[in-house]
């Protein structure tokens, strides 16, 4: 974790952005096959299981799942979380505090930046989802809603794996993020 404080995070992110969008066939094929091997990606779940047919690493990384891979409830009142990954934390927001990991927490104001927005979620509930490298990398709305506001918050680019979350204070409130506020039938919802 210590090197994350000293490396040029935004420069490396920019470099990775370029590499993952490279469409040179031999290069992107090697990158995709290596990633599948290292992270044990199950391509049978993908809508397109042929690794070489993706135009870039990014199109592979954000690949669509087959319709049969994750059957979803058709109940219009269901709250779903149609992503691969794990719920790393979930619970009630105690006053204005969200749990990051055992012994670590952060405030709604730190995460949502504006007092007016933070105040709307006091006493609500939260869930933190972690997508590992091998997981399907798309986040979907857990219920129907209408976007009312988006706020871009510049910040660091710390990893969000379990080790970093355990040792870096307020990592989710320090990282770059987009705050999306939705009006839903179940009430106000923020996806960050």
């Amino acid at each position: 974790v210590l090197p994350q404080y000293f490396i040029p995070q935004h420069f490396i992110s920019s470099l990775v952005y370029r590499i993952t969008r490279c469409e040179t066939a031999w290069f992107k094929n090697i990158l995709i096959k290596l990633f599948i091997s290292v992270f044990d990606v199950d391509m049978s779940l993908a809508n397109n299981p042929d690794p070489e047919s993706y135009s870039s690493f990014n199109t592979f990384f954000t690949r669509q799942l087959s319709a049969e891979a994750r059957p979803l409830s058709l109940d219009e009142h269901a709250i779903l979380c149609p992503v691969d990954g794990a719920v790393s934390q979930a619970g009630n927001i105690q006053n204005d505090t969200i749990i990051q990991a055992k012994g670590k927490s952060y405030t709604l104001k730190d995460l949502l930046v504006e007092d007016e927005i933070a105040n709307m979620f006091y006493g609500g509930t939260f869930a933190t989802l972690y997508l590992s490298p091998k997981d399907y990398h798309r986040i979907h709305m857990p219920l129907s809603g209408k976007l009312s506001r988006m706020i871009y918050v510049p910040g660091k680019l710390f990893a969000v794996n379990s080790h970093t979350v355990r040792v870096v204070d307020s990592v989710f409130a320090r990282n770059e993020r987009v705050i999306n506020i939705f009006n839903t039938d179940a009430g106000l919802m923020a996806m960050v």
Side-chain angles (χ1 to χ4, degrees):
V1 172
L2 188 60
Q4 290 187 64
Y5 286 97
F6 302 108
I7 62 173
Q9 296 172 335
H10 289 275
F11 170 76
I12 290 173
S13 178
S14 176
L15 182 63
V16 169
Y17 177 91
R18 287 180 182 86
I19 289 169
T20 59
R21 280 143 181 89
C22 175
E23 295 186 358
T24 303
W26 68 267
F27 180 76
K28 60 95 180 169
N29 288 342
I30 289 172
L31 201 57
I32 291 169
K33 288 178 182 176
L34 181 63
F35 190 88
I36 290 170
S37 175
V38 168
F39 293 104
D40 193 28
V41 177
D42 184 355
M43 290 303 292
S44 71
L45 300 175
N47 192 39
N48 176 4
D50 178 10
E52 292 190 4
S53 67
Y54 291 93
S55 63
S56 68
F57 180 85
N58 188 61
T59 58
F60 153 75
F61 194 69
T62 58
R63 65 198 172 275
Q64 292 183 352
L65 293 179
S66 69
E68 302 81 35
R70 302 288 182 269
L72 302 174
S73 170
L74 299 177
D75 179 353
E76 67 181 51
H77 300 291
I79 297 177
L80 305 173
C81 190
V83 298
D84 285 350
V87 175
S88 61
Q89 292 291 329
N92 295 322
I93 299 169
Q94 300 293 327
N95 298 317
D96 71 339
T97 303
I98 302 172
I99 297 168
Q100 174 176 307
K102 187 175 182 178
K104 292 205 176 291
S105 59
Y106 55 98
T107 68
L108 278 170
K109 170 73 165 76
D110 290 340
L111 181 67
L112 301 177
V113 180
E114 297 179 12
D115 285 327
E116 177 186 342
I117 294 174
N119 291 340
M120 293 188 273
F121 293 98
Y122 277 30
T125 57
F126 75 95
T128 304
L129 308 175
Y130 171 69
L131 304 179
S132 75
K134 75 176 190 173
D135 291 330
Y136 166 70
H137 268 73
R138 294 179 184 219
I139 296 290
H140 300 276
M141 286 288 291
L143 64 163
S144 295
K146 182 177 180 182
L147 180 66
S148 65
R149 187 153 180 222
M150 292 177 72
I151 304 164
Y152 166 71
V153 182
K156 299 289 187 183
L157 297 173
F158 287 109
V160 291
N161 59 47
S162 60
H163 179 68
T164 303
V165 168
R166 282 193 312 272
V167 298
V168 176
D169 288 334
S170 302
V171 68
F172 300 118
R174 294 170 71 179
N175 269 354
E176 179 179 64
R177 60 200 177 278
V178 176
I179 301 163
N180 304 281
I181 307 297
F182 293 92
N183 293 308
T184 76
D185 289 341
L188 204 59
M189 181 184 82
M191 285 184 71
V192 182

